[in-house]
Amino acid sequence: MFKCKTVWNKLAPLARASSTLCLQNARKSALRHGRRLEMVQKAQMSSGPAGGGGENTLYYVLIGATCLGAGVYAYRTVSEDKDRYNERMTEIVSRPKQGPQAAEAVAEVVAESKEEPVAEEPTLTEADVESTESEPIAEAPVTKPIVEEPVTEPTVQASIPEPTVESPIREPVVEASVIEPVAEAPAVTQNEEPLAPVVESEPTAVIIAEHVPEASSVSESGKTAVPKAAPAAEPVEPTAAPSDVPEHAPYLLIGGGTASFAAARSIRARDPGARVLIVTEESDLPYMRPPLSKELWFSDDPKAIETLHFKQWNGKERSIYFQPPSFYVSPADLAKVENGGVAVLTGRKVVHMDVRGNKVKLSDGAEISYEKCLIATGGVPRNLQVIERAGEEVMKRTTLFRKIEDFRSLEKISGEVKSIIIIGGGFLGSELACALGRRSTDVGLEVIQMFPEKGNMGKVLPEYLSNWTTEKVRKEGVSVITDAVVKNVTYKNDKLEIKLKDGRLFKTDHIVAAVGLEPSVDLAKSAGLEVDSDFGGYRVNAELQACSNIWVAGDAACFYDIKLGRRRVEHHDHAVVSGRLAGENMTGASKPYWHQSMFWSDLGPDVGYEAIGIVDSSLPTVGVFAKATAKDTPKAATEQSGTGIRSESETEAVAGALKAKTTATPPPIQQKEDYGKGVIFYLRDQVVVGIVLWNVFNRMPIARKIIKDGEQHADLNEVAKLFNIHED
């Protein structure tokens, strides 16, 4: 190798000088040619005598022959050095132990190998030298196959000869630790087969055998001993996935709420053999949330808290769960079930999403690959910043109502404390206030509801109807505090003190914060999905698709409504409708979101309403009311439909079956204090964009058709006839 470098160092300057001189002469000739007259003869460079016709041919032949000879010499030198390297390695491993001299010889060979321009040659580490000094040297027969190995891979193959009669399989272990450094272990793939049966006999050496062949020594008892350098390869060991987590799911649904269950049912309807896996952070199977703030609080059965069975307003009993456990298959058996099925993986959270690799990572380190994926993570309850900054004692006495455990916790607390303050005047806050107010007289509980609006559901209902609703809530035993903006919350003398901006002070034992929902978009960063800056949630198209094989449904979806524009809806019926549509599109339906979802709220069994479209109290409204009868209550509505989840009874056929009665003459819009039942129209640019049916039930298909048509109406009294609110 040194000879090759010496020859090259001598020839290179000569070649460079000659080439430079030739180039300079050529440039000068070109310049002179540009300045002289045409009659002057061009300067010629020739290697022969003046006037000769050599034209530099001899010069180029000499230079080419020199380079060719140098290349041949370099190739032969490198080949000889490689053979010499193998001979030196054979000599080192075959001679007896020599203490420090052996280490010096190994270092000398390593230094020489580093100078060779061969990328495949490994280098030795200090751990390898120590192993050479401390480990016994194997017998010479194991090195016999080294000479026969190809030149391109002299090291790895030489250290592990093929088992023969003369060479026992369990003995040639030291050579691998000398030749193959342990630090290079991660470069070997996990699919590489063990090279010797000795590795299979000891489970602790499996990873070492895959990365560093035969990198252990055999003790007298016959068990393998891990060398000192082995711990360097331990961080590359993958975490074993739990046995109940399937490695692959054709349909993966993230989230265990209403939207996920609706999607699973829709997928199975269109693809009966589909294998669907639902991954949920909660410990419960998919269930419906509305009864948590409605019917469950009015149940007379003390076991309802544990069984979660409740009676609807019509007296029929049902479970909060969509399906019993027998409906689902085990996640571990999902791939084995003949006709597919739906499996639920509870207590697991998806923490990372690889969109390009079509796989997700769970909180326990397990990974699941998928073909189609639905994100239906819902949202988390918002909290007031003044409560979050108040400290641990205040947070321990604050409930953010959302899940089953929140219902059970608040139900227990309501029987132990003397006072509860509910902050929030929307759907959830008003429903919980009425539910707790009903039992306040029985358990001696003080229930206070406060919010910054002028009345209950002031952001949804027009002011006159909001004020009327507030009086109904007060009749349920609730102290309603309007125009209340919380300034700070403190904990003093075993009481929570809430101070408002106007100076009013309230003391209580517990706080329920019902101030809205924040969509869960934790996966947006890792998945590279867009989050809407105005409405929140994952931004999807009209088909609820975020990218090629990912859909979003439920509270977390910010979708494009082809009639009302971009929206995000947080209601049960929207979760059902969007989940069903996403499931259909995951199986190739390619349908846009055109179905207007509805929502409803019940303030006990006597007052309730259903709404659809954009329902915002800041919009102009027109209301048409009539006198209510015994049939115009949520209780009567469930008796007629057979279900408390009124959206389940909707069919488009109802819209065609219901006809307006021309004999009924609607009175003008009423502004009196008795709003028994009626219809409230919300207008934008003289077009109806939202409708509230106040104590009017089973008429939602008509309202949906009015919004879908998107027409201007000169007289909304005529439109109100379609709902038959004046019939007895």
Side-chain angles (χ1 to χ4, degrees):
M1 186 65 186
F2 289 109
K3 293 179 181 180
C4 178
K5 288 186 176 180
T6 304
V7 173
W8 176 252
N9 291 335
K10 291 180 179 180
L11 293 176
L14 178 59
R16 286 195 295 268
S18 300
S19 301
T20 303
L21 179 60
C22 180
L23 186 59
Q24 291 176 352
N25 291 337
R27 291 176 179 173
K28 291 179 180 180
S29 176
L31 293 174
R32 287 196 298 270
H33 172 70
R35 292 194 298 266
R36 294 181 181 180
L37 298 176
E38 291 296 332
M39 64 183 65
V40 180
Q41 185 178 359
K42 297 180 181 179
Q44 300 282 343
M45 180 177 178
S46 175
S47 57
E55 299 294 333
N56 295 327
T57 302
L58 181 59
Y59 173 80
Y60 291 128
V61 170
L62 291 175
I63 293 300
T66 302
C67 295
L68 180 60
V72 173
Y73 181 84
Y75 175 80
R76 294 184 59 185
T77 302
V78 171
S79 301
E80 291 174 0
D81 289 346
K82 184 173 290 291
D83 295 336
R84 188 164 57 254
Y85 172 84
N86 291 334
E87 293 175 2
R88 293 289 296 275
M89 294 301 298
T90 302
E91 181 183 355
I92 289 174
V93 298
S94 61
R95 65 191 179 188
K97 182 178 180 181
Q98 296 180 2
Q101 290 78 8
E104 295 176 1
V106 172
E108 180 181 352
V109 174
V110 172
E112 182 179 349
S113 64
K114 288 182 179 180
E115 296 178 356
E116 298 184 13
V118 181
E120 291 82 8
E121 292 295 334
T123 58
L124 296 179
T125 62
E126 295 180 359
D128 298 326
V129 177
E130 294 175 3
S131 177
T132 306
E133 296 176 356
S134 60
E135 300 293 342
I137 307 301
E139 297 178 3
V142 299
T143 62
K144 182 178 179 180
I146 296 178
V147 181
E148 300 175 359
E149 294 299 324
V151 177
T152 56
E153 298 182 2
T155 304
V156 178
Q157 299 297 333
S159 61
I160 307 297
E162 292 295 328
T164 60
V165 178
E166 295 81 12
S167 176
I169 295 176
R170 294 181 178 270
E171 292 186 1
V173 292
V174 178
E175 293 82 336
S177 62
V178 175
I179 298 174
E180 182 70 12
V182 179
E184 296 184 359
V188 183
T189 61
Q190 293 290 339
N191 295 327
E192 185 178 348
E193 295 295 334
L195 298 179
V198 64
V199 174
E200 299 177 358
S201 64
E202 184 63 28
T204 59
V206 171
I207 299 300
I208 300 174
E210 293 181 349
H211 297 290
V212 185
E214 296 294 327
S216 60
S217 60
V218 182
S219 63
E220 295 180 357
S221 60
K223 295 183 179 180
T224 57
V226 180
K228 296 180 180 179
E234 290 180 1
V236 302
E237 293 187 42
T239 304
S243 58
D244 61 334
V245 179
E247 296 181 356
H248 178 75
Y251 295 96
L252 178 64
L253 313 183
I254 304 176
T258 302
S260 279
F261 181 79
R265 190 159 51 183
S266 179
I267 291 172
R268 291 279 296 171
R270 290 177 54 89
D271 184 4
R275 305 178 192 277
V276 183
L277 176 64
I278 299 176
V279 180
T280 173
E281 188 178 0
E282 298 187 44
S283 58
D284 298 285
L285 296 173
Y287 61 91
M288 61 188 76
R289 300 188 190 276
L292 295 179
S293 59
K294 297 180 176 70
E295 292 91 342
L296 278 172
W297 289 96
F298 297 90
S299 177
D300 297 330
D301 185 5
K303 297 181 180 180
I305 302 172
E306 298 300 328
T307 62
L308 298 177
H309 282 73
F310 62 94
K311 287 185 178 181
Q312 302 174 129
W313 302 136
N314 58 2
K316 295 182 179 180
E317 185 174 298
R318 68 175 299 175
S319 172
I320 194 174
Y321 295 101
F322 290 111
Q323 292 290 346
S326 58
F327 172 82
Y328 305 95
V329 301
S330 171
D333 299 332
L334 182 61
K336 308 173 186 177
V337 179
E338 181 178 358
N339 296 321
V342 180
V344 182
L345 195 61
T346 59
R348 312 291 173 85
K349 181 180 180 180
V350 176
V351 297
H352 186 273
M353 194 168 189
D354 183 2
V355 176
R356 293 186 177 181
N358 287 350
K359 62 182 179 180
V360 299
K361 184 177 181 181
L362 306 185
S363 54
D364 58 2
E367 291 187 351
I368 304 175
S369 61
Y370 62 86
E371 298 174 13
K372 305 286 183 65
C373 180
L374 172 69
I375 300 177
T377 50
V380 294
R382 289 193 184 101
N383 196 1
L384 297 176
Q385 293 185 358
V386 294
I387 296 179
E388 294 177 344
R389 296 194 300 261
E392 183 180 356
E393 292 297 329
V394 174
M395 287 297 298
K396 288 193 303 184
R397 293 165 175 81
T398 301
T399 295
L400 303 178
F401 199 89
R402 177 67 173 172
K403 304 176 182 178
I404 289 178
E405 53 262 34
D406 299 329
F407 161 73
R408 288 171 172 166
S409 174
L410 184 59
E411 201 281 335
K412 180 180 179 182
I413 291 172
S414 65
E416 298 174 348
V417 300
K418 298 298 182 181
S419 173
I420 293 179
I421 289 183
I422 301 172
I423 303 177
F427 306 108
L428 179 62
S430 299
E431 290 171 0
L432 289 177
C434 289
L436 292 173
R438 277 289 181 100
R439 62 170 55 186
S440 61
T441 55
D442 298 333
V443 297
L445 177 66
E446 180 188 22
V447 180
I448 301 175
Q449 183 187 15
M450 58 176 58
F451 42 81
E453 293 81 25
K454 296 184 179 298
N456 285 77
M457 292 174 287
K459 293 182 178 180
V460 176
L461 302 177
E463 184 176 353
Y464 62 90
L465 195 56
S466 174
N467 294 336
W468 185 86
T469 305
T470 301
E471 295 302 320
K472 292 290 292 185
V473 174
R474 286 180 174 144
K475 291 180 180 179
E476 297 292 336
V478 181
S479 298
V480 181
I481 311 298
T482 62
D483 300 312
V485 179
V486 179
K487 182 178 181 180
N488 59 61
V489 181
T490 57
Y491 178 70
K492 294 180 181 179
N493 302 324
D494 296 332
K495 288 285 185 179
L496 295 174
E497 295 185 356
I498 301 177
K499 186 176 182 180
L500 305 182
K501 282 191 175 182
D502 58 7
R504 288 179 289 178
L505 183 67
F506 297 88
K507 296 183 179 181
T508 186
D509 297 316
H510 196 79
I511 295 176
V512 178
V515 292
L517 193 71
E518 191 72 27
S520 297
V521 291
D522 298 338
L523 296 175
K525 184 176 181 180
S526 62
L529 302 179
E530 182 182 1
V531 177
D532 191 87
S533 58
D534 296 328
F535 301 97
Y538 298 98
R539 194 178 179 91
V540 297
N541 59 15
E543 298 177 5
L544 305 181
Q545 193 171 19
C547 59
S548 60
N549 58 346
I550 297 179
W551 288 259
V552 186
D555 300 341
C558 181
F559 62 97
Y560 180 78
D561 190 315
I562 59 178
K563 285 294 182 182
L564 304 178
R566 189 157 293 278
R567 304 173 61 198
R568 191 177 68 84
V569 182
E570 300 173 358
H571 296 292
H572 175 84
D573 185 61
H574 169 69
V576 174
V577 174
S578 62
R580 182 190 305 131
L581 178 63
E584 292 178 356
N585 289 338
M586 291 173 74
T587 55
S590 299
K591 295 181 179 179
Y593 190 100
W594 62 267
H595 180 88
Q596 288 294 328
S597 61
M598 56 88 71
F599 63 92
W600 77 96
S601 180
D602 295 335
L603 305 179
D606 299 327
V607 178
Y609 65 90
E610 299 175 354
I612 189 173
I614 299 178
V615 180
D616 189 342
S617 61
S618 63
L619 295 174
T621 61
V622 175
V624 180
F625 293 88
K627 183 178 179 180
T629 64
K631 298 184 297 181
D632 302 317
T633 62
K635 181 178 181 180
T638 56
E639 289 177 350
Q640 180 179 353
S641 63
T643 175
I645 309 300
R646 294 194 288 273
S647 61
E648 296 179 356
S649 62
E650 286 191 62
T651 58
E652 288 297 333
V654 180
L658 294 175
K659 303 293 182 182
K661 293 184 177 181
T662 56
T663 57
T665 303
I669 298 174
Q670 302 180 24
Q671 296 294 335
K672 59 183 181 180
E673 292 299 322
D674 184 15
Y675 302 103
K677 64 177 180 179
V679 182
I680 302 96
F681 300 97
Y682 292 75
L683 307 177
R684 186 171 64 186
D685 299 330
Q686 303 301 319
V687 176
V688 177
V689 295
I691 298 177
V692 169
L693 303 180
W694 186 261
N695 273 343
V696 176
F697 307 101
N698 300 322
R699 299 291 190 274
M700 190 52 62
I702 302 175
R704 181 174 291 110
K705 187 176 186 304
I706 293 173
I707 294 179
K708 183 179 179 181
D709 292 342
E711 299 177 355
Q712 292 186 359
H713 299 278
D715 188 358
L716 290 175
N717 285 314
E718 294 296 323
V719 179
K721 293 180 181 180
L722 298 173
F723 297 93
N724 298 330
I725 61 175
H726 299 287
E727 66 179 358
D728 295 331

